[in-house]
């Protein structure tokens, strides 16, 4: 509950739940994350890579979410490390973000990577930097084939070791692997276009919040939810989709990650264990040897910047003189009540917004 320091008018404000999946939270945390990534930035081009697995594994993922997502990340990172050695002769740096949905919130697990356009090579005479070509990092078809082969082999091994939940034998893993191997998999490699800052901003969209933003919801009427999406199969045309409320919530919640699962991971020169090598790369590329100190953002300064206004965001919108200051806090609520009320509050806020 907040009250104006001048006119004393009061109003309620719902506090941020801080859940990383919440469609209303995480903007400030994302801004701080983007700042922290500057520690590993080098004055080189960066490539954008996307690894997508065949959808034949979707049901298997639903029963083995954490195991399968970890496998996807491990295999993609492994093949990238091997290609860095093969094509550039050294160790690259790359950062990964797991993304699990498509435009209509359907299951679509894939990985986005930011990859250095070069590698740090160790020689008998010390380190040297091997730059990649400006428009070429790796051969995408070969990368796709090796990723498919390694991932399917790993899934087959997990099945042989009895580590997969096959829904009491209803899921035929061998058949899934055979079907996946018969198809072409999509591994996308985009050459640098707008600089690493733009690429980081793009990946930053997937760090906090999931599936859909509130501004895409057009209406909530009765038990029907209508939202906007872009149809990638029809040249990206904007369209509307209407789902039952239960199906809408089901799709949304299907992208909530297991507790403690790390969606963002760093490898090679970007990993915390590779800071010494990163410093060597900085020296070779003309940057100061020491890593930059990343300042902590101040919320009010950040808020003024995104609002493009020097006005204090706490200024009372009624009298325009006082500040809206917290006078009382209610809660917090813990345990199952918190989860129940979080989902209930989410549904209620959507309904109220479009009532």
């Amino acid at each position: 509950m907040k009250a104006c320091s001048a006119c004393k008018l009061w109003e309620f404000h719902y506090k941020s739940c801080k859940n990383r999946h919440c469609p209303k939270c995480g903007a400030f945390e994302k801004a701080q994350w983007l700042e922290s990534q500057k520690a590993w930035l080098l004055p080189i081009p960066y490539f954008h890579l996307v690894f997508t697995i065949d959808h034949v594994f979707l049901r298997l993922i639903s029963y083995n979410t954490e195991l399968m997502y970890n496998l996807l990340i491990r295999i993609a990172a492994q093949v990238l490390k091997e290609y860095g050695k093969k094509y550039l002769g050294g160790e690259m740096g790359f950062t990964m973000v797991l993304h699990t949905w498509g435009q209509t919130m359907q299951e679509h697990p894939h990985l986005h990577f930011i990859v250095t356009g070069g590698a740090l090579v160790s020689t008998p005479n010390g380190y040297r930097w091997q730059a990649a070509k400006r428009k070429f990092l790796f051969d995408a078809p070969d990368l796709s084939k090796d990723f498919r082969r390694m991932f399917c082999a790993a899934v087959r091994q997990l099945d042989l070791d009895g580590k997969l939940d096959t829904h009491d034998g209803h899921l035929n893993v061998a058949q899934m692997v055979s079907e996946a191997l018969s198809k072409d998999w999509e591994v996308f490699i985009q050459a640098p276009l707008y600089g690493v800052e733009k690429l980081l901003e793009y990946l930053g969209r997937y760090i906090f919040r999931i599936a859909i933003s509130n501004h895409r919801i057009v209406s909530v009427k009765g038990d029907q939810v209508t939202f906007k999406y872009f149809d990638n199969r029809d040249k990206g045309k904007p369209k509307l989709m209407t789902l039952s409320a239960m199906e809408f919530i089901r799709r949304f919640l299907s992208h909530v990650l297991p507790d403690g699962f790390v969606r963002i991971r760093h490898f090679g020169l970007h990993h915390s264990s590779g800071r010494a090598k990163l410093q060597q790369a900085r020296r070779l590329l003309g940057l100061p040897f020491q890593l930059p100190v990343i300042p902590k953002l101040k919320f009010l300064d950040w808020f003024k910047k995104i609002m493009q206004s020097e006005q204090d965001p706490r200024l009372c919108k009624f009298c325009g003189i006082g500040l809206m200051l917290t006078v009382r806090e209610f809660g917090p609520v813990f345990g199952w009540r918190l989860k129940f009320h979080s989902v209930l509050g989410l549904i209620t806020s959507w309904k109220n917004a479009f009532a």
Side-chain angles (χ1 to χ4, degrees):
M1 180 178 175
K2 294 191 175 185
C4 176
S5 59
C7 69
K8 305 304 179 185
L9 188 131
W10 57 269
E11 60 184 7
F12 289 107
H13 287 258
Y14 291 99
K15 294 187 71 175
S16 173
C17 72
K18 300 295 184 182
N19 189 292
R20 59 178 173 160
H21 304 99
C22 177
K24 297 180 71 67
C25 295
F28 179 67
E29 288 78 5
K30 183 190 82 170
Q32 185 62 67
W33 180 85
L34 291 174
E35 282 293 315
S36 68
Q37 303 316 295
K38 294 178 181 178
W40 51 255
L41 289 185
L42 296 171
I44 58 171
Y46 285 80
F47 287 77
H48 179 200
L49 276 68
V50 182
F51 287 80
T52 305
I53 62 172
D54 192 88
H55 282 191
V56 71
F57 293 116
L58 291 182
R59 288 198 66 201
L60 191 61
I61 290 175
S62 68
Y63 286 98
N64 304 269
T65 304
E66 187 168 5
L67 182 63
M68 290 294 289
Y69 283 163
N70 277 323
L71 180 68
L72 168 60
I73 293 167
R74 178 173 64 82
I75 296 300
Q78 181 181 340
V79 72
L80 274 181
K81 289 178 182 178
E82 292 178 2
Y83 267 61
K85 291 283 187 181
K86 175 182 176 181
Y87 279 82
L88 300 171
E91 186 171 6
M92 304 182 303
F94 47 98
T95 292
M96 177 281 311
V97 178
L98 171 67
H99 189 199
T100 65
W101 61 90
Q103 278 286 310
T104 59
M105 298 195 293
Q106 78 277 22
E107 287 83 359
H108 179 52
H110 56 285
L111 305 175
H112 289 268
F113 281 91
I114 296 179
V115 182
T116 53
L120 184 67
V121 181
S122 179
T123 73
N125 298 321
Y127 289 106
R128 67 178 179 86
W129 182 258
Q130 177 61 52
K133 295 180 180 179
R134 187 70 176 82
K135 296 293 183 180
F136 178 83
L137 183 63
F138 305 134
D139 183 82
D142 285 349
L143 184 64
S144 177
K145 291 175 183 177
D146 285 336
F147 171 60
R148 178 188 62 188
R149 173 182 55 80
M150 293 169 64
F151 184 84
C152 288
V155 171
R156 183 187 288 118
Q157 191 60 52
L158 286 176
D159 185 40
L160 292 175
D161 294 342
K163 295 181 179 180
L164 291 173
D165 180 354
T166 59
H167 189 34
D168 296 327
H170 287 87
L171 300 180
N172 190 328
V173 178
Q175 183 178 334
M176 289 179 182
V177 169
S178 177
E179 183 178 338
L181 286 170
S182 68
K183 301 176 184 177
D184 290 330
W185 286 26
E186 181 182 353
V187 173
F188 171 80
I189 303 178
Q190 184 179 49
L193 292 176
Y194 308 110
V196 68
E197 290 81 7
K198 290 288 186 181
L199 187 51
L200 275 172
E201 181 64 33
Y202 177 78
L203 262 66
R205 303 176 192 173
Y206 307 131
I207 295 171
F208 299 93
R209 311 176 185 183
I210 58 167
I212 193 169
S213 300
N214 284 351
H215 75 272
R216 286 178 54 198
I217 301 174
V218 177
S219 68
V220 178
K221 295 180 179 179
D223 64 348
Q224 301 288 306
V225 181
T226 300
F227 61 94
K228 296 180 290 187
Y229 74 99
F230 293 99
D231 190 346
N232 295 324
R233 296 181 179 180
D234 192 11
K235 301 179 180 179
K237 291 182 179 178
K239 296 183 179 180
L240 297 178
M241 175 172 285
T242 299
L243 300 174
S244 69
M246 289 298 290
E247 174 60 14
F248 181 88
I249 292 296
R250 186 201 67 79
R251 292 194 186 191
F252 180 85
L253 294 180
S254 70
H255 303 292
V256 172
L257 296 173
D259 288 346
F261 186 89
V262 182
R263 173 187 286 160
I264 312 157
R265 305 188 190 183
H266 305 278
F267 302 88
L269 300 180
H270 291 182
H271 193 271
S272 58
S273 64
R275 289 296 184 252
K277 291 182 179 179
L278 179 62
Q279 288 178 303
Q280 294 292 341
R282 288 173 58 85
R283 178 181 59 81
L284 291 169
L285 293 167
L287 292 178
F289 183 77
Q290 292 299 325
L291 299 177
V293 177
I294 305 301
K296 289 288 185 180
L297 294 180
K298 295 181 179 179
F299 180 79
L300 285 180
D301 294 339
W302 167 79
F303 195 84
K304 289 178 181 178
K305 183 178 179 180
I306 65 169
M307 295 300 292
Q308 297 181 337
S309 172
E310 285 301 314
Q311 187 180 77
D312 194 319
R314 298 170 298 171
L315 190 67
C316 178
K317 59 185 177 183
F318 298 98
C319 70
I321 300 174
L323 299 179
M324 298 299 293
L325 303 176
T326 301
V327 294
R328 181 173 295 182
E329 292 187 357
F330 301 89
V333 180
F334 296 99
W336 68 267
R337 293 179 180 84
L338 177 60
K339 294 182 180 180
F340 173 78
H341 287 292
S342 293
V343 175
L344 182 62
L346 182 64
I347 299 172
T348 302
S349 66
W350 280 334
K351 284 190 174 182
N352 291 342
F354 301 98

